[in-house]
Amino acid sequence: MKGKLEPAERQKLIEEGKNLKEALTTLEEDLVKLRDELQIEAQCIPNLTHPDVPIGWEDSSKLRNMVGSPRKFDFPVKDHLQLGKELDLFDFDAAAEVSGSKFYYLKNEAVMLEMALVNWTLTEVMKRGFTPLTTPEIVRSSVVEKCGFQPRGENTQVYSIEDSDQCLIGTAEIPVGGIHMDSIVAESALPLKYVAFSHCFRTEAGAAGTATRGLYRVHQFSKVEMFILCRQEESDMYHEELIKIEEDLFSSLGLHFKILDMATGDLGAPAYRKFDVEAWMPGLERYGEISSASNCTDYQSRRLGIRYRPSESPSTTSKKGKTNVAATKFVHTLNATACAVPRMLVCLLENFQQEDGSVSIPHPLRPFMGGVEAIYPKSR
Amino acid sequence: MALQCRLSGATFQSLKLATIPISSSSSRFIFRTLPKTLNLALFSRHSAPKAPPFSVLIRTLSAPAVAAAPAAETSDIKVVKPQWNAAIDFKWIRDNKEAVAVNIKNRNSNANLELVLQLYDKMLNLQKEVERLRGERNNVANKMKGKLEPAERQKLIEEGKNLKEALTTLEEDLVKLRDELQIEAQCIPNLTHPDVPIGWEDSSKLRNMVGSPRKFDFPVKDHLQLGKELDLFDFDAAAEVSGSKFYYLKNEAVMLEMALVNWTLTEVMKRGFTPLTTPEIVRSSVVEKCGFQPRGENTQVYSIEDSDQCLIGTAEIPVGGIHMDSIVAESALPLKYVAFSHCFRTEAGAAGTATRGLYRVHQFSKVEMFILCRQEESDMYHEELIKIEEDLFSSLGLHFKILDMATGDLGAPAYRKFDVEAWMPGLERYGEISSASNCTDYQSRRLGIRYRPSESPSTTSKKGKTNVAATKFVHTLNATACAVPRMLVCLLENFQQEDGSVSIPHPLRPFMGGVEAIYPKSR
C-alpha cells in the first residue's frame, strides 16, 4: 500500500488488510490459549529417570547398602513416647490443647539434644565446603510450585497464609532453590553448595494410623538440608557425594540403617533418582525414613529459571577479537536431608536407651551439649 | 514479649491490643458479627511524636473473638457470643470503680467502665428477678401436688405456664446480658503498679544505664553495610522468594545466631528455668487469651487459611497455653520456663527508615523467659527477670538503658513493663532489644490458670476435717532473653573494627567453635 495505487485498488487492499488483521488477532489469541494449555499439560510430565532406577512400587526399591545391625537388647525395649514421658522430654497433651494434634513441646535435655544435633550437623557439613544458611519459612506460593510441590489442592502438604499468596515451607529446599531464581550464574561459580537450617511445616493431610504416633509424624519440625546447584554433567557425581555425607553422619551417631534406591513409582515428579535412608527404630520395631537424597536434574531449574553460562572455550578457528558467547544451560539441582530432628530423636532415644531407663548421648554430640553424656530419669 | 513501637519507628511493634472505636449507646451493644470486620487496629504508633498517637479514644482490647449469635427474638440488639470468657471479678470492679476509672484514663484506654457498671447492675437485678420467678414457679408446682378443685387446678396450670414463659424470656435476656457484660469488661486493661509513671513515651522513667557509647576513631558502618561486606545476609533474594522484610542469614551469621541462642538458653537454665521449644502454630483463641488480637486491620498476627490457627509472634503465647484451664499445686510454683522459638509478625503499619535491615523483620528467632507464680511474688520475679536481662546484655559488652514504661505505653495485659534499649552506633540511636512485663492475673484469668494454696494447719480444725482453700489465679510474667536480629544489629555495629572485621564477644566464642572474629572475605 506504500506505492501509487488506483483508488479502487487501494480500497481492495484496505479491505484485505482489515480481514487479515482480524484473522490474525483471532489466531494470535488462540495461539496464546494453546500455549497456556500446552504449558499446563506439559508441566505435568515428570522428570526423566536414571537408567539404574528399579521400575515399580515401594517393594521394588533396591537396597544399595546397609550399615551396622540391629542392637540386641537384654531388657524390654521402650518406644520413644514412653521414654519421653519417663524422662520428661516432650509434651504432646498440652500442645494438643494449644495447637492441635501432632504438635509438641520439647523439654529439658531434648531441647539441648535438638540444638546439639543441628549444631553438629551444620558444622560437619560446613567442613565439606557447604555454605551455611538460615532461610525464610514463609515464601510465595509460586516458588513452592516451581520446586515441584503443590500448594493448592485437596490433600496438600502445604499450609497457606490467609489473605496472601504466601505459604509455609515444608522444607528448606524451597527457599534455597529460590535464591538463584531467574538468574544466570557463572559456570565458575558452580557447584554452589548450601546447608540450610529451618523449621518446616507440613499439614500431613491424609496421614493416619499408628505409624504417625509421637515424633514420627508431626506438623512442625527442625531440619538441616543440603542443596547443590551444579553443571549438568556433574549431578550424578554430587548425588553420590550427598548420600556419602549422609552415610557418614548417621554412622558417626552409631545408627543402624539401610540406603534404598527408590523405585519409579516412589520418586515424585521432580526426582531423576532418589536415595532414601531408613534407620532401625527398635521401639517401633521397624525401619523408618530419616533422610532422602534426590537428584532433580533440570526439573526445578527449568521452573525456577536458573541457568549457567558455560565458560568460553578457546577455539583455534575463531577470528581475532571475536568473542564466542556460549548459550546458557540449565543447572542441575540436588537436595538431601542432613538431619530431620524428630526422626533423629526417635532413633537416638530408642537405640541408645539403657536398662536403668537412661539414654546415652552419642559421643559426637556431647561437646555440643556442654559435655552431657546421658539423659537420666528425674526423681519425682 | 510485648515490644514497644517507638515514635521514630525504632522498635518492634508492640503486640498490643487493638483499639476499637465502639459505637455503643445506652444499653445497646452492636457488634459487627464477623471477627474480621471488627475494626481492630493494633496499638501501633506512627504519628507525630508530641501528641498521643490516636486522636480517637482508643480502647485497649482484649475482647474474645466473637461469633455471630442467632438474633434474639425479643429485641433487635444483635448480641454476639464470646467464644471464651475471662474470669472477671465484676464485684471488685464495682467496689473499686474510681481506681479502675483513673487507670483506664491513665492508659488512654476507651474501655467503657460506665457501661460495664450499668450492665453489671442490670444483670444483678435480672438475676434477682429470675430467682424470684423460679421461686414462684416452685410454689405453684408444690401447690399442684395437693388435692385441688378442677377450676383451681386449671388456674394454677395457667399460672405455671405464664411463669414458665416469662422465665424463659428472662433467662435468655440474662444470657445476652452476661455476654455483653463479658465483652465490655474484657476491654478493661490490667491495673497499674503504683510506681509506673503516668503519660506517654517521653514520660517513661530511666531505671538505670549500663556502660557508655563506644568512641570510634574511624567511620562507623551500619549493620546492613557490614552484612554486605562480610557476606552475612541476603535481603534481595529473600524479597524475590518471600517479600520484603525477609532475609537469609549466611556464613558466620548462622553460627552467631546459634551461639546466641545456645549461650542464652544455657545461662538462663543455670538460673533454674526449664528449657522448651514450642509449637509455632497455635489456635487463635490462645492468642487472644494472652491479650493479643489475631483479627483486624492492622493485626500483627499471621493466620492460617481455612483454619482457626495462627502463627505465634512470641513464645509467650504457646508457653502461656501450657497450663491453660488447670489448677497447679502451690508447691509447684514458681514455674519458670525459657523457650526458644521462631516468631512471625506481619509488622502491618510499620514503615520508614527505622525498619531497614534486621531492625524490623517478619520472621526471627527468640529466646523468651516466662514465669507463673503466686500473686504475692510477681513484683519480686519481675525484678529477677530484669536482672537476668541486665546480666546477659552486660556479659556481651553492650551499652544499654532500662526504662520503666509509662502508662500510655503499657498495653492492656501489663501491670508494669521494663524495656531495654541498647545503643546501636550504626543507627545512631538506642533501639529496643528486650521487654519484661508483669501481667499479674490478666492472662491467667483468660487462660484459666489457678493454683490451690497449700492447706494451713489450723489449731481449731476438727480432727479429720480437711480445709480446702479456694483457688487463686497465678500471676504471669514474660521477658525477652534474646531477640536474635536486634542482637545481631548490636553486635555487628558495636564490635566492628577499623579493618572491617567484627569481634565476637568472649562468652559466645565457645558456642561458635572458638571463632574470635568475622573477617571480610577475599573476593
Side-chain angles (χ1 to χ4, degrees):
Chain A
M1 298 217 315
K2 288 186 183 156
K4 228 174 163 169
L5 296 166
E6 296 291 312
E9 259 189 282
R10 181 169 288 279
Q11 190 53 38
K12 240 178 85 181
L13 283 176
I14 288 170
E15 280 295 319
E16 207 180 323
K18 207 162 97 181
N19 291 336
L20 284 171
K21 181 177 171 185
E22 275 173 33
L24 203 54
T25 306
T26 305
L27 284 190
E28 280 170 342
E29 278 169 14
D30 286 345
L31 187 57
V32 165
K33 281 208 300 275
L34 205 56
R35 275 214 169 97
D36 288 346
E37 240 188 283
L38 172 60
Q39 194 68 32
I40 288 172
E41 284 302 327
Q43 276 173 199
C44 296
I45 296 174
N47 201 358
L48 291 174
T49 311
H50 190 290
D52 293 352
V53 170
I55 295 167
W57 287 100
E58 209 172 300
D59 17 343
S60 305
S61 297
K62 199 163 67 192
L63 182 70
R64 271 174 58 98
N65 68 325
M66 183 147 359
V67 173
S69 57
R71 170 182 166 190
K72 301 225 178 306
F73 287 88
D74 48 14
F75 56 88
V77 164
K78 299 170 187 166
D79 74 357
H80 72 279
L81 272 177
Q82 191 182 354
L83 288 160
K85 257 205 180 76
E86 293 174 4
L87 298 170
D88 199 19
L89 297 176
F90 14 95
D91 191 335
F92 277 86
D93 297 331
E97 293 301 317
V98 172
S99 308
S101 69
K102 297 199 189 69
F103 284 99
Y104 57 98
Y105 296 82
L106 290 184
K107 301 174 68 172
N108 297 312
E109 290 95 333
V111 176
M112 308 321 289
L113 191 44
E114 164 166 331
M115 306 213 59
L117 275 165
V118 171
N119 225 326
W120 172 76
T121 304
L122 276 172
T123 305
E124 285 298 304
V125 179
M126 280 166 66
K127 284 182 191 167
R128 291 160 162 86
F130 286 69
T131 300
L133 292 178
T134 63
T135 78
E137 288 155 12
I138 293 178
V139 298
R140 300 184 202 270
S141 58
S142 56
V143 181
V144 177
E145 288 164 1
K146 289 173 183 178
C147 291
F149 299 97
Q150 199 46 261
R152 308 279 160 184
E154 229 177 79
N155 267 354
T156 182
Q157 279 279 2
V158 181
Y159 283 102
S160 291
I161 304 288
E162 209 172 77
D163 295 333
S164 145
D165 71 339
Q166 293 168 318
C167 310
L168 295 182
I169 62 170
T171 163
E173 175 190 342
I174 297 170
V176 177
I179 289 178
H180 297 284
M181 238 173 29
D182 300 322
S183 58
I184 301 174
V185 298
E187 189 180 21
S188 55
L190 299 176
L192 288 161
K193 297 160 86 168
Y194 296 110
V195 57
F197 168 57
S198 79
H199 287 185
C200 303
F201 302 89
R202 301 188 182 185
T203 64
E204 298 296 347
T210 45
T212 65
R213 265 164 52 86
L215 290 174
Y216 196 81
R217 193 175 302 280
V218 287
H219 288 306
Q220 172 191 323
F221 58 97
S222 297
K223 182 163 66 61
V224 181
E225 182 82 359
M226 299 180 282
F227 195 95
I228 294 181
L229 299 93
C230 65
R231 290 163 52 238
Q232 299 179 345
E233 309 78 61
E234 298 183 323
S235 54
D236 279 337
M237 177 186 88
Y238 285 116
H239 199 198
E240 293 293 330
E241 180 175 315
L242 287 170
I243 195 66
K244 180 73 172 51
I245 294 174
E246 292 185 353
E247 201 174 317
D248 288 347
L249 290 172
F250 307 141
S251 308
S252 308
L253 294 179
L255 298 181
H256 160 49
F257 55 93
K258 47 186 183 178
I259 303 182
L260 304 167
D261 197 347
M262 302 311 283
T264 48
D266 250 350
L267 287 180
Y272 175 73
R273 193 177 198 185
K274 187 160 90 85
F275 300 138
D276 274 9
V277 180
E278 296 189 357
W280 179 244
M281 300 178 174
L284 292 171
E285 287 173 86
R286 60 176 179 74
Y287 291 90
E289 184 191 326
I290 58 168
S291 162
S292 193
S294 298
N295 178 1
C296 297
T297 63
D298 63 357
Y299 185 94
Q300 293 179 325
S301 59
R302 283 179 179 273
R303 286 155 178 73
L304 292 165
I306 309 176
R307 297 172 168 79
Y308 66 101
R309 191 176 299 287
S311 329
E312 294 174 34
S313 36
S315 165
T316 50
T317 62
S318 69
K319 294 203 177 88
K320 189 167 175 180
K322 172 179 176 179
T323 41
N324 271 335
V325 179
T328 58
K329 296 185 183 182
F330 286 101
V331 300
H332 277 197
T333 62
L334 302 95
N335 65 80
T337 325
C339 177
V341 170
R343 297 274 170 104
M344 293 300 284
L345 289 179
V346 172
C347 283
L348 297 184
L349 291 174
E350 296 190 354
N351 280 291
F352 303 132
Q353 61 183 293
Q354 307 302 320
E355 191 164 13
D356 63 1
S358 68
V359 172
S360 175
I361 307 291
H363 285 262
L365 298 178
R366 296 181 184 185
F368 293 85
M369 269 177 86
V372 167
E373 298 185 356
I375 304 175
Y376 295 98
K378 280 94 190 141
S379 46
R380 288 179 182 281
Chain B
M1 100 175 155
L3 291 178
Q4 197 68 308
C5 175
R6 296 198 56 165
L7 292 171
S8 42
T11 61
F12 278 127
Q13 281 222 351
S14 174
L15 275 180
K16 282 207 193 131
L17 305 180
T19 61
I20 317 181
I22 292 282
S23 58
S24 56
S25 52
S26 64
S27 58
R28 280 168 183 250
F29 188 82
I30 297 159
F31 249 150
R32 280 172 279 182
T33 54
L34 293 174
K36 270 169 116 152
T37 61
L38 281 175
N39 190 18
L40 307 174
L42 200 66
F43 185 69
S44 61
R45 305 168 66 178
H46 19 258
S47 52
K50 299 294 186 249
F54 293 105
S55 49
V56 178
L57 272 184
I58 50 176
R59 166 197 296 234
T60 46
L61 177 73
S62 81
V66 287
E73 306 165 359
T74 51
S75 73
D76 51 355
I77 302 173
K78 223 182 207 178
V79 176
V80 282
K81 195 148 193 67
Q83 281 174 6
W84 50 270
N85 289 322
I88 304 226
D89 190 342
F90 302 111
K91 183 169 179 299
W92 190 93
I93 292 175
R94 186 194 60 191
D95 295 345
N96 293 274
K97 63 180 180 194
E98 289 82 21
V100 174
V102 167
N103 189 48
I104 287 174
K105 179 165 170 295
N106 287 338
R107 285 168 175 260
N108 211 29
S109 153
N110 71 338
N112 193 339
L113 181 58
E114 278 309 309
L115 182 56
V116 170
L117 296 173
Q118 277 172 33
L119 290 172
Y120 182 55
D121 249 0
K122 265 179 84 174
M123 194 199 73
L124 288 179
N125 290 335
L126 195 51
Q127 253 173 355
K128 281 203 193 98
E129 187 59 20
V130 164
E131 273 154 36
R132 189 182 68 80
L133 283 188
R134 282 198 185 129
E136 277 188 37
R137 192 186 59 178
N138 287 343
N139 280 341
V140 168
N142 283 337
K143 278 186 199 154
M144 297 218 312
K145 289 182 183 157
K147 226 170 179 227
L148 295 164
E149 295 290 313
E152 258 191 281
R153 181 168 287 280
Q154 190 54 37
K155 242 181 81 179
L156 281 179
I157 287 172
E158 279 295 322
E159 205 179 324
K161 209 163 95 179
N162 291 337
L163 283 172
K164 180 178 174 187
E165 277 175 33
L167 204 52
T168 305
T169 305
L170 284 190
E171 281 169 342
E172 277 171 16
D173 286 348
L174 188 57
V175 165
K176 279 205 305 270
L177 204 56
R178 275 212 169 98
D179 288 345
E180 237 187 286
L181 172 59
Q182 192 68 34
I183 288 172
E184 283 303 325
Q186 278 174 200
C187 297
I188 297 174
N190 201 358
L191 292 174
T192 310
H193 189 289
D195 293 352
V196 169
I198 295 168
W200 287 103
E201 205 171 307
D202 14 349
S203 306
S204 297
K205 198 164 68 193
L206 181 71
R207 272 175 57 100
N208 68 324
M209 183 146 3
V210 172
S212 56
R214 171 182 164 190
K215 301 223 178 306
F216 288 88
D217 48 12
F218 57 87
V220 164
K221 301 171 186 164
D222 75 358
H223 72 278
L224 271 178
Q225 191 182 353
L226 288 160
K228 258 206 180 74
E229 294 174 3
L230 298 171
D231 199 20
L232 296 177
F233 13 96
D234 190 336
F235 277 86
D236 297 331
E240 293 301 317
V241 171
S242 307
S244 69
K245 298 199 188 70
F246 284 99
Y247 57 99
Y248 296 82
L249 290 184
K250 300 173 70 170
N251 298 312
E252 290 95 333
V254 176
M255 309 320 290
L256 191 45
E257 165 165 332
M258 306 215 56
L260 275 165
V261 171
N262 224 327
W263 172 75
T264 304
L265 276 172
T266 304
E267 285 298 303
V268 179
M269 281 167 65
K270 284 182 192 167
R271 290 159 164 87
F273 286 69
T274 300
L276 291 178
T277 63
T278 78
E280 290 155 10
I281 294 178
V282 297
R283 300 183 202 272
S284 58
S285 57
V286 181
V287 177
E288 289 164 1
K289 291 173 183 180
C290 291
F292 302 99
Q293 198 48 261
R295 308 276 162 185
E297 224 175 82
N298 267 353
T299 183
Q300 280 279 1
V301 181
Y302 284 102
S303 290
I304 305 287
E305 209 172 77
D306 295 331
S307 146
D308 71 337
Q309 293 168 317
C310 311
L311 295 183
I312 62 170
T314 163
E316 174 190 341
I317 298 170
V319 177
I322 291 178
H323 297 286
M324 235 171 36
D325 300 319
S326 58
I327 302 174
V328 297
E330 189 179 23
S331 54
L333 299 175
L335 286 160
K336 296 160 87 168
Y337 296 111
V338 57
F340 169 57
S341 78
H342 288 186
C343 303
F344 302 89
R345 300 185 184 189
T346 65
E347 298 296 347
T353 45
T355 65
R356 264 166 50 90
L358 289 175
Y359 198 82
R360 194 174 304 279
V361 288
H362 289 305
Q363 172 191 323
F364 57 98
S365 297
K366 181 163 69 61
V367 181
E368 182 82 358
M369 299 180 282
F370 196 95
I371 294 182
L372 300 94
C373 65
R374 289 163 54 237
Q375 299 178 346
E376 311 76 64
E377 299 184 322
S378 54
D379 279 339
M380 176 186 86
Y381 285 117
H382 199 199
E383 294 293 328
E384 179 175 316
L385 287 170
I386 196 64
K387 180 73 173 52
I388 293 174
E389 292 185 352
E390 201 174 319
D391 289 347
L392 290 172
F393 306 141
S394 307
S395 306
L396 294 179
L398 298 180
H399 160 50
F400 56 92
K401 48 185 182 176
I402 303 182
L403 303 167
D404 196 347
M405 304 311 284
T407 49
D409 252 351
L410 287 181
Y415 175 73
R416 193 177 198 184
K417 187 159 89 83
F418 300 139
D419 275 10
V420 180
E421 297 187 357
W423 179 243
M424 299 178 175
L427 292 172
E428 286 172 86
R429 59 176 177 72
Y430 291 90
E432 186 190 325
I433 57 167
S434 164
S435 191
S437 298
N438 178 2
C439 297
T440 63
D441 63 357
Y442 186 95
Q443 293 179 325
S444 59
R445 282 179 178 274
R446 286 154 178 74
L447 291 165
I449 311 176
R450 298 172 168 81
Y451 67 101
R452 190 175 300 285
S454 328
E455 294 174 32
S456 36
S458 164
T459 50
T460 61
S461 71
K462 295 204 178 81
K463 187 167 174 180
K465 173 180 177 181
T466 41
N467 273 333
V468 180
T471 59
K472 297 183 182 183
F473 285 101
V474 299
H475 277 196
T476 63
L477 302 97
N478 65 80
T480 325
C482 177
V484 170
R486 297 274 170 104
M487 293 300 284
L488 290 179
V489 173
C490 283
L491 297 184
L492 291 174
E493 296 190 353
N494 279 292
F495 303 133
Q496 60 184 293
Q497 308 300 322
E498 192 164 11
D499 64 1
S501 67
V502 173
S503 175
I504 306 290
H506 286 263
L508 298 178
R509 296 181 184 185
F511 292 85
M512 270 177 85
V515 166
E516 296 184 358
I518 305 176
Y519 296 99
K521 278 101 188 127
S522 46
R523 291 182 177 279

